[in-house]
Every structure is written in C-alpha cells, then in structure tokens.
Amino acid sequence: MPLLCLVCFFGCGHEACAQKGFGGLTNWRSRRLALQPEPQQLDSVLVVPGSVVVLGPAWAKDSVRVHLDSAGRLTLLNGTSRWGDTVEVGYRVFPLRGQQSFVVADLRGTASSGGTNMPSAGAGAALGLGAQATSPFTLRGYVARETAVAQQNSIPSGGRMDLTLEGQFGNGISLHGELLSQSLPFQPDGTTADVKALDRVYLRVGTSRWSVEGGDIAMQGAGRFLVHNRQAQGLLYRYRGEPGQLDSLTVETGGGVAKGEYVRVTLQGSEGVQGPYRLSGARGFVQSVILAASERVFVDGVLVQRGQEHDYTIDYNLGEIFFTARCRIRAASRIVVEYQLVERHFTRYMGQARVSLGWRNGWWGGVRVYASHDASSSLQGVTDAPGVRSQLAELGKGVTQAWVVPTVPTLNGRERDGYRLADTLIEGRRYTFFRYVAAGQQDSLFDVPFSYVGRGEGEYMLTQRENNSQVFEWVGPAGRNASGDYRAGQLVRTPQSHEVVEMHLGRTWQAGQGQSRITVAYSHRAQNTLVVRQEPSNHGVAVETAHEG
C-alpha cells in the first residue's frame, strides 16, 4: 500500500499561527487601533468569531483584552488606563480557507519525485516502510483538497489529483497508470503541443510486443484515406511481432464510447488576421466547450501543429484559435477544424481495427476499419425525448441538425412554474410562442429550454421575478426591432453512423527501384439514422495508385 503523508494547514487564533501566516492562507489580516472606550468597526467584511488576538506591543499582550460583538465592532478592554496608545490586532475574515496536501511517497520507501522529500531513514522505518522494501511499483504525484467557509450556508470546495503508477511485473510485463482529476470549471490551456486532458483515468499493461490500454484512450488512424482522431472511454489492444514467414505483423483493435460530439468546421481566412477565429460553425453563438486535445487543424489542406512555438494556439472554453507567425493567414486561406464537443445528445459507440503484414520478399499490405454509431434510443439532455426524436425523423434531405422544442406539457403546473403555448397577430401574421405561467395557475405546463443565440438574434429576453428566478419573455419575432437574445428550444444534431474500410497492397522493389502501392477505400455515412431510407450518395469509393523511386 502506498504511504500517504497528510499535511494540513488550518488557521487558528494563536499568535504563532499569525506569524507563520497560516501556511500561506490569505484570510489573515492585521491593523493598528487606538485604545478608546468606544467600540470600533474592525473590518468591512465578516470577522471570524474568536480569531481576534493582540499582537503588540509587548505590554498590550497581557493587559489588553478584546471583545467582538455580532456587528463586527471591537471593544478594547484596557486594564492599564493607557487610552490613546496604539495596539496591533490580528484577526481572520470570511471566507475561511483550508488546505490539505497529501504527499504521495514512493512504494519502495523513498520519497517520489512528485512529492515533498521526506527522510529516507528513520521516518520511513517509523512509518512501517522498512529499508528492505522491494516493491517493483512506483506511485508518484499529489492529492490536494481545498475548502472555503463563506458567510452563506453553502461551502464551496475544490481540489486536484494527479497520480501516476509505474512498475514492472515479471517476464518483461510493464504497467503504467494515470489518475488525473481537476475539479475546476475550465479546460487546460491550449498553448502547448502536449495537453494533458482533465479527469483522465488510464491504465496500460504490456510488453515490447503487445499491450492492452483501458480507460480514457485515443482512437487514432493515419492511413491514406482513413484518418481519424477520437477521444473515447474504452479498451485498446495492440500486437507487433514477426511470426512464421512474415517479416512483420501488426494487429490493433479497440472500441469504446466517444467522450464528446464530433464537429467539422470550415473557416475562411482574412488577409493579415491571425485570430481569433471562432469555432462557432452551424451552432452560431451557442456556448459549447471543446474537448481538450481533440482538435485537428488544417490550413490549405496541411495539418498544422498546436503550440506557441509551432502554428497555432486554442482556447478550449471560448472556442477560439490564434495562429502564430509561423502560419501566415491570407484571404485565400481555407481553414478546416475537426474537434469534439464536451456535451452530446446521443451516445456514440466507436470501434477500429488494423492489420498490417510485411513479407520477406518485399510485399506488404493491410486493412483498416473504422466505425461509429449514435444510439438513437440514448437521447439525453432534452425534456421531451420522444417528441425530439419525432422532429428529427421528419427532417429533410441533407439536414443534420435542428432546433427542437417540447411538443407535450410534462410539468405539473399546480406545483411548478413553466410555460404554456400562446399566439398573437403582428401585422396580419400569426405567431406562436411560449408564455411564462407561475405555479398553481394551470394543470400542466411545458418545460422549455432556452438557448442564447447572440444579441438581437432571438425572440426572447431574460428577465427575473421577485424571487430572482429566471423568466424568459417573448418580445417578438427575430429580425424586428424588439428581437431578443434567446431562442426557445435547443439545437440537436441528428444521430449518425459512419463506416470506413481501407485496404492497401504494395511492394518494395530491389536494386533501388523504389516501391509501388495501391490503396482502395469504401465509406458509408448515414446523416440521420432515424430516417429509414438513406440517400445513395452516402456511399463512396476511392482508389489511389502510386510509385515512388
């Protein structure tokens, strides 16, 4: 078992704690006050009861007493009648912050590189590690938890965890595991070539010939036609060897559930403008967070690399790309970005397989397969799943997303507030909209989601009632002077499926004559699996022949 050494820092009202600064905590304050019989306001924020202490001068520590009332006023009780003299007091204010740091020690009994150094002798023996421990595994990293006690009843908390487990079994089998959790409301910074995604659970077991990976994996392919990069939660198996008469054999297979929704956006460059280029695409201004490290950026058909020292940087939260001086953007530049969104409406299952063979006579070949399928029955994040599926099934040819609204009331209007359908006439044209209804006025109401679509682009405005609850008020159709910022419903993409098979065969010629190859690929894409009859144009075939040398 790993050794977890708990280091805690909590504030107290003692003078020694004040001098040490409470381990770097920031809710400690001090000020000078004049001795007077009247109460004095100590601070503009709430002071922690019992935390006020006299810091100096030396005579005041024994003779001056303090009393803090419920209004935050401090009375200095002077037993020496030295009115007018100045004393220094220290105190703590809300929010009260606490910090716990768990330092992870090496399983062999010595401190790991990721933790705080501890004595290798004495302390280790006293904690039961022993000097002769021979465990082949090393656990390094840290676990930190933070809490804050505020004036309100709620107690916000957060923390970080980054643990890595490495080691060797017998017979050359190695193990590598990662556990990363960051309870923070933002994604990693996309300014470096390598981005370590948040909330990652990963385990790899294998040798130099085979390996099995599980958890948060990257399903990737780099063929002539089949090129993909998807983040998933699943299992991946790889094998590399030279069995029998083969010069080389590579087998790879895996499957899992996609971590986000796949999106492809085409942007047009502006002359001399390096950014920002917003990845809004067909979603307009609807807020969506991009899954870290899931993007692939092409400029004029060339794959570019992330990082300040390379071609571009990306803000995953805002969905904005900036290009560096190494990648000049012009008016004719065509920018294509493929990425995954954190949220999704359908569970997407993915699978991939690859077999590559090489013979000793110079021939080589292989096959790649990739398939993804959205489970149409797994619709989530909507209030009326049957109604949404029905609306998606009625979409026309080539439409892959739609604004959907609830079709049936699902709320008990006697207990909860909601919306009802209403209509009105404007300039001789009838408009139907949702009108807010307070609880207790109607039997059944609609549970309507509202989406921000940009200033002046919607039909609803956000208002508040007496209890500060959000209410969306219809202000007229979009495009008129009274247009709002929100739209009723939400944008939902259709469930899709995609299958690609790529086969290649080639030969490396002797006497320096180069190599020849032929690649054939077949692709099928269903843009809406809720539609029974698919278009024939969803099938495609590609062939490439090449000779190098």
Side-chain angles (χ1 to χ4, degrees):
M1 294 294 292
L3 170 66
L4 296 180
C5 180
L6 174 63
V7 181
C8 301
F9 300 100
F10 287 103
C12 64
H14 195 272
E15 177 185 356
C17 294
Q19 294 174 350
K20 294 179 181 179
F22 299 106
L25 300 180
T26 59
N27 63 329
W28 173 258
R29 298 184 181 183
S30 64
R31 62 175 300 187
R32 294 181 179 274
L33 298 173
L35 282 176
Q36 62 183 38
E38 294 81 12
Q40 306 176 60
Q41 191 67 37
L42 183 58
D43 207 304
S44 59
V45 297
L46 187 62
V47 179
V48 178
S51 67
V52 184
V53 294
V54 178
L55 301 179
W59 61 265
K61 294 183 180 180
D62 298 327
S63 60
V64 176
R65 298 293 179 264
V66 296
H67 171 72
L68 183 70
D69 61 20
S70 59
R73 294 176 299 183
L74 182 68
T75 302
L76 298 174
L77 306 177
N78 183 6
T80 60
S81 300
R82 301 181 60 164
W83 301 114
D85 286 357
T86 300
V87 297
E88 182 179 7
V89 297
Y91 56 94
R92 295 170 59 203
V93 298
F94 286 106
L96 172 62
R97 301 184 183 276
Q99 176 177 326
Q100 303 175 357
S101 298
F102 301 82
V103 181
V104 181
D106 193 309
L107 293 182
R108 293 190 178 91
T110 58
S112 67
S113 59
T116 303
N117 292 332
M118 294 186 297
S120 57
L127 293 170
L129 284 174
Q132 304 298 323
T134 59
S135 173
F137 300 104
T138 300
L139 178 66
R140 63 176 184 272
Y142 66 89
V143 178
R145 308 301 297 178
E146 298 176 354
T147 61
V149 180
Q151 301 182 38
Q152 295 80 11
N153 293 330
S154 60
I155 303 179
S157 63
R160 301 173 300 279
M161 182 191 325
D162 190 349
L163 299 176
T164 301
L165 177 65
E166 293 181 339
Q168 294 282 339
F169 292 100
N171 302 323
I173 301 177
S174 63
L175 179 143
H176 174 84
E178 298 177 11
L179 180 59
L180 177 66
S181 176
Q182 303 273 4
S183 56
L184 304 173
F186 52 81
Q187 290 270 69
D189 188 9
T191 58
T192 60
D194 297 325
V195 173
K196 197 170 186 180
L198 300 184
D199 298 326
R200 172 176 169 84
V201 178
Y202 174 80
L203 182 65
R204 178 188 180 276
V205 179
T207 66
S208 59
R209 288 183 174 269
W210 63 269
S211 66
V212 177
E213 303 175 33
D216 295 315
I217 60 176
M219 301 185 65
Q220 301 173 330
R224 300 297 299 178
F225 299 106
L226 176 52
V227 179
H228 64 279
N229 179 22
R230 305 287 186 270
Q231 303 296 319
Q233 294 176 328
L235 196 66
L236 194 62
Y237 170 79
R238 292 189 177 96
Y239 170 81
R240 294 179 180 86
E242 304 85 24
Q245 300 298 318
L246 295 177
D247 184 56
S248 64
L249 172 63
T250 300
V251 178
E252 180 179 308
T253 181
V257 179
K259 295 185 66 175
E261 178 182 343
Y262 173 74
V263 178
R264 179 186 177 95
V265 173
T266 300
L267 307 173
Q268 187 63 45
S270 299
E271 187 68 33
V273 178
Q274 297 297 105
Y277 288 93
R278 181 178 291 273
L279 302 179
S280 57
R283 286 179 173 264
F285 289 93
V286 179
Q287 295 297 319
S288 300
V289 179
I290 299 174
L291 186 64
S294 68
E295 85 283 356
R296 298 172 72 239
V297 181
F298 299 85
V299 177
D300 296 330
V302 179
L303 179 65
V304 294
Q305 187 175 359
R306 178 184 56 242
Q308 291 179 334
E309 70 281 9
H310 297 294
D311 302 308
Y312 74 93
T313 62
I314 180 172
D315 189 316
Y316 292 112
N317 299 287
L318 298 179
E320 294 179 344
I321 286 185
F322 290 83
F323 292 93
T324 66
R326 288 190 50 178
C327 184
R328 293 291 183 182
I329 302 299
R330 305 189 183 279
S333 299
R334 184 173 181 266
I335 306 168
V336 177
V337 185
E338 301 174 349
Y339 57 93
Q340 288 178 258
L341 298 176
V342 172
E343 67 273 10
R344 62 188 178 203
H345 290 104
F346 295 95
T347 301
R348 173 164 294 183
Y349 298 96
M350 302 187 302
Q352 70 175 28
R354 178 172 71 96
V355 178
S356 297
L357 305 97
W359 290 270
R360 293 187 173 91
N361 57 4
W363 286 91
W364 45 270
V367 59
R368 296 174 180 266
V369 178
Y370 169 79
S372 65
H373 179 76
D374 294 337
S376 59
S377 60
S378 64
L379 183 59
Q380 52 197 320
V382 297
T383 58
D384 179 17
V388 170
R389 278 195 293 266
S390 177
Q391 294 177 64
L392 295 178
E394 296 174 357
L395 295 179
K397 175 183 177 182
V399 181
T400 60
Q401 59 185 5
W403 281 94
V404 296
V405 296
T407 57
V408 294
T410 58
L411 298 179
N412 184 352
R414 297 300 176 184
E415 299 179 356
R416 290 187 54 185
D417 57 351
Y419 294 83
R420 67 176 180 87
L421 281 176
D423 54 52
T424 186
L425 286 174
I426 299 180
E427 297 179 355
R429 184 175 178 181
R430 183 176 298 277
Y431 293 91
T432 301
F433 61 95
F434 289 98
R435 174 173 291 172
Y436 176 81
V437 178
Q441 300 183 16
Q442 196 164 323
D443 291 336
S444 58
L445 297 172
F446 288 89
D447 185 8
V448 185
F450 292 88
S451 302
Y452 179 77
V453 292
R455 183 175 297 275
E457 300 294 331
E459 302 173 348
Y460 294 83
M461 288 293 294
L462 176 60
T463 62
Q464 287 184 333
R465 295 185 61 81
E466 294 79 3
N467 58 356
N468 293 329
S469 61
Q470 291 185 343
V471 174
F472 294 89
E473 180 181 353
W474 190 75
V475 293
R480 299 175 59 90
N481 294 333
S483 59
D485 303 336
Y486 291 83
R487 183 173 178 179
Q490 57 191 130
L491 189 63
V492 179
R493 301 178 69 89
T494 59
Q496 303 178 6
S497 65
H498 189 202
E499 300 84 32
V500 182
V501 179
E502 177 184 296
M503 296 175 289
H504 63 273
L505 179 66
R507 181 176 182 179
T508 300
W509 303 96
Q510 298 178 357
Q513 297 182 13
Q515 63 178 9
S516 302
R517 70 173 183 272
I518 179 172
T519 306
V520 180
Y522 165 78
S523 174
H524 170 260
R525 181 187 296 274
Q527 297 181 337
N528 189 348
T529 59
L530 293 173
V531 177
V532 178
R533 183 167 181 169
Q534 298 291 330
E535 297 294 329
S537 59
N538 293 337
H539 301 265
V541 178
V543 180
E544 180 193 60
T545 60
H547 176 77
E548 300 175 358

